[in-house]
Amino acid sequence: MQQRRTNAERHAQTRAALLSAAREIFAGAGFADAATEAIVRQAAVTRGALYYHFRDKAGLFEAVFEETAGEIVAVVSAEAEGEPTAFEGLAAGCRAYVDACLGPDIRQIYLIDGPAVLGWTRWREIDARHSVGSLREGITAVLDEAPQPPLSAEVLTVLVSGALNEAVLWLAEAEPSPTAHDNLYRGIRTLLERLFAPQ
């Protein structure tokens, strides 16, 4: 029993080392130019260890992508929890989502390589388990406080999620500009206010 626990811990450490190295290299070089030789060297493991844990480079990337998606949700949740109302929490969470997605490593992994490597169907499946699920919870909380909910949580989630994803993709491709960021944040808040205004 003790040996099995030791092996499990060793496997977990190896997997964590591979994910950490892969994330750094995927973020810096992009998926296409990331070499598995560089990943295993940086992780200080063998090539056999890589293929024990992941079917191939794409499988390793998917694991890094999923880990990144979880980190985005953690940041969004932390920002939303500090607000006094559900609506302000939703607005803060939306802004935090945009900010998180524009970090250099997340931008490369989540927005640029994610759709290309995983395909939009798989990208949306993973995003739905993380970001969309968190967004739906925030929207449901706002509707619970709203005296006259205008639309269903499902419809609002689709609309807001689509707007946020298009927003971060647009900003990711645009020239860095504080003005663009400020205008986008104002636009997101205006959109939320209008969507949740009583009818």
Side-chain angles (χ1 to χ4, degrees):
M1 183 67 71
Q2 182 63 38
Q3 184 62 35
R4 282 199 294 272
R5 283 199 299 270
T6 300
N7 286 341
E9 290 170 357
R10 186 180 300 114
H11 287 317
Q13 290 172 352
T14 298
R15 190 176 191 278
L18 283 165
L19 287 172
S20 177
R23 176 169 178 159
E24 183 176 337
I25 291 172
F26 286 143
F31 177 82
D33 293 329
T36 55
E37 293 86 351
I39 293 171
V40 297
R41 185 168 59 250
Q42 183 159 319
V45 301
T46 65
R47 179 176 290 279
L50 169 62
Y51 292 112
Y52 174 84
H53 290 279
F54 305 99
R55 67 183 184 275
D56 53 19
K57 187 172 81 165
L60 175 58
F61 177 85
E62 182 171 328
V64 170
F65 181 89
E66 184 118 28
E67 187 176 73
T68 302
E71 291 175 10
I72 293 171
V73 170
V75 170
V76 168
S77 297
E79 288 294 320
E81 287 171 5
E83 297 298 325
T85 66
F87 180 83
E88 291 301 331
L90 177 63
C94 289
R95 179 167 184 153
Y97 175 79
V98 173
D99 288 343
C101 285
L102 294 177
D105 57 339
I106 294 179
R107 176 180 177 274
Q108 181 67 44
I109 293 167
Y110 205 74
L111 300 179
I112 297 174
D113 283 336
V117 176
L118 303 176
W120 277 111
T121 298
R122 184 61 177 151
W123 189 96
R124 290 180 188 280
E125 286 175 358
I126 297 174
D127 186 59
R129 285 204 305 274
H130 295 279
S131 296
V132 175
S134 175
L135 178 61
R136 186 180 293 108
E137 289 177 6
I139 286 174
T140 300
V142 175
L143 293 181
D144 287 343
E145 293 182 357
Q148 297 176 323
L151 296 169
S152 70
E154 196 64 30
V155 170
L156 287 166
T157 299
V158 170
L159 292 173
V160 177
S161 176
L164 290 175
N165 286 337
E166 284 300 317
V168 294
L169 288 169
W170 174 69
L171 276 181
E173 296 172 353
E175 290 293 324
S177 166
T179 301
H181 284 72
D182 290 343
N183 288 339
L184 180 62
Y185 295 141
R186 283 197 295 272
I188 289 171
R189 184 170 184 96
T190 299
L191 173 65
L192 293 176
E193 289 172 348
R194 292 182 179 178
L195 284 175
F196 289 93
Q199 301 298 306

